[in-house]
Amino acid sequence: METTDTLLRRFEQLNDVGTALSQERRIDHLLERILLAAKTITRAEGGTLYRLTPDEQSLRFEIVHNDRLGIALGGASGQPISGKFHDLPLRLPDGAPNHHMVAAYAANTGRTVNVPDAYEAEGFDFAGTRRFDESTGYRSRSFLTVPMKNHEGDLIGVLQLLNALDPASSEVLAFTPADQRLAESLASQAAVALTNQQLLAQLEALFESFIGLINAAIDEKSPYTGGHCQRVPELTMMLAEAVNTTTTGPLGEVRMTEKDFHELRIAALLHDCGKVTTPVHVVDKATKLQTIHDRIHEIDVRFELVKREAELKHWRAVATSQSPAGGDAQLAQFLEQCDVDRAFLRRANVGGERMSDDDMARVRHIGQAYTWGDGNGTQRPLLSADEMDNLCVRAGTLTAAEREVINQHISTTIRMLEQLPWPKHLVRVPEYAGGHHERMDGKGYPKGLKRDEMSWQARMMGIADIFEALTAADRPYKKAMPLSQALAIMRNFKEGGHIDPDLFDVFVDKQVYRRYAQAFLAPAQIDC
């Protein structure tokens, strides 16, 4: 007969286990703690924890433990259980409930089954147990099988305990009514804890899928930023992992927990979410004159009109005997100059090289030197003021106004993210995501933060964002940059106060750039 003190101690164990279960976040560890706690409280020699399969048609072995046989499969053990034990069907081939197997019976009926001796039990099929015993020399005797239901009454799994041991003699006994009540209480607590963790995992998965949906929308809107949204998180996490392994220098004591890594990854995935509001003709501006279409083709047509008007004027003069001496040569020279100037404007439209003052002056001269007649007979300059402003962009393809539109995406990103009710472990996502265009010297945007005003994580994302942009091969306005050139530019950024110097040193010393290059760059780009 169990004493009151012993029973109280077991109840205290149950309370302690309940507290521990509520704190465990890893599902595989949680499952193992459930089974080990049940074994301890009921003094069982072995046990199995089954979970309901997603289709709710079977019970799947999740954890199997047996102290005497030294078996520890599934859970935190790292030993796979799949393939060793087959799922238990909850229905027979004819659709009737499976009441032959004790675990399936407990799942189908919601009742606890306490079997003193499996070899003498009636109504249940223990043939598999006997085969197991024959192959191992073991003797399975007492079974306690408890359905695990959550607070809504939904079946989560089944807890099955094997061979209750006498604490004094280690003799195998039947499970007592006290054992059964304690196991049922633990199973109820465990089911709720497991349900909570499953819900958390499902919410995390849903949230990350939603982030993927946003990035997919950006990808559909612009294939030139979709790849960026996928690659920057990868590079950010590579740099974060490198920092975490650094033991010397300014970053020698910087350490990130698993939660910190998760928070940074979410921020990296969302760092450009504001681009969903950026006009696509600005995001995808491959040439200086591109809007919905590339206006260089309109200029081509105007040049043809200019040439046709010159030819028409020449041949009218010839027909009326008013052609000046050398008119044919002048016409040929004019037409040739038209082709030369058109070719120059086409090169200027690409925006691949930094434009000189002389080239900018030439654009404006060409724009005013030629005129063409519109459908109303009005003579217009070859280039409009807007076209000249676009063609005179000194570097890249964006005008100052368009660059401001592009830059606005980060303010939109911050505004969008700050409106979300972030849980405690993700509360700094807006800061990390919104800081990747800041500079160490305070000349970045949108807030003009300086180095000491920024977190390490935001500074990591800044390096990842720039390096990915330099080496990307899917941008319409530039060629893929080789690794050596990108690193040279990054070194200049380090010296110029653009990026964090200590983080860049880790980026180089730990060869983060090389790991990234091997994963995402073309072989021809890897030249160092």
Side-chain angles (χ1 to χ4, degrees), residues 32 46 96 98 108 120 218 268 337 342-343 349 357 381 394 410 427 457 459 465 473 494 523:
E32 189 156 48
N98 180 5
N108 284 324
E120 297 179 1
I218 297 174
Q337 188 61 45
R342 179 170 62 176
N349 185 45
D357 291 340
R394 191 174 291 277
I410 192 64
V427 72
Q457 288 88 337
R459 287 179 252 172
D465 188 73
K494 168 191 170 181

Side-chain angles (χ1 to χ4, degrees), residues 240-251:
E241 290 164 3
V243 168
N244 238 33
T245 61
T246 298
T247 57
T248 60
L251 295 169

Side-chain angles (χ1 to χ4, degrees), residues 96-154:
N98 180 5
H99 287 171
H100 299 300
M101 298 178 177
V102 64
Y105 176 87
N108 284 324
T109 64
R111 301 173 188 166
T112 298
V113 180
N114 192 338
V115 177
D117 191 330
Y119 283 65
E120 297 179 1
E122 296 181 358
F124 295 113
D125 182 2
F126 281 102
T129 298
R130 289 190 175 93
R131 287 194 297 270
F132 177 81
D133 288 352
E134 289 173 1
S135 64
T136 60
Y138 187 68
R139 174 64 164 88
S140 303
R141 191 180 299 276
S142 55
F143 280 79
L144 181 61
T145 307
V146 184
M148 297 169 58
K149 291 189 174 185
N150 64 16
H151 56 289
E152 295 181 342
D154 297 325

Side-chain angles (χ1 to χ4, degrees), residues 2 7 25 43 68 91 112 127 143 191 222 259 279 333 347 413 416 447 493 496 523:
E2 191 167 21
L7 190 57
R25 294 292 178 263
R43 301 162 182 158
R68 182 171 297 182
R91 297 279 171 182
T112 298
F143 280 79
S222 169
K259 289 183 179 180
Q333 183 179 3
R347 290 194 302 273
T413 293
M416 290 170 61
K447 297 181 179 180
F493 283 170

Side-chain angles (χ1 to χ4, degrees), residues 271-286:
H271 81 283
D272 268 352
C273 65
K275 283 186 177 177
V276 296
T277 66
T278 306
V280 67
H281 70 274
V282 177
V283 175
D284 284 1
K285 194 179 182 189

Side-chain angles (χ1 to χ4, degrees), residues 167-184:
S169 65
S170 296
E171 179 186 354
V172 176
L173 305 173
F175 288 95
T176 66
D179 292 333
Q180 181 172 328
R181 288 192 295 272
L182 289 169
E184 288 171 340

Side-chain angles (χ1 to χ4, degrees), residues 448-469:
L449 301 177
K450 293 186 177 180
R451 184 188 185 195
D452 58 359
E453 297 174 305
M454 299 172 63
S455 62
W456 286 109
Q457 288 88 337
R459 287 179 252 172
M460 290 178 195
M461 287 185 57
I463 289 177
D465 188 73
I466 294 171
F467 189 77
E468 190 284 332

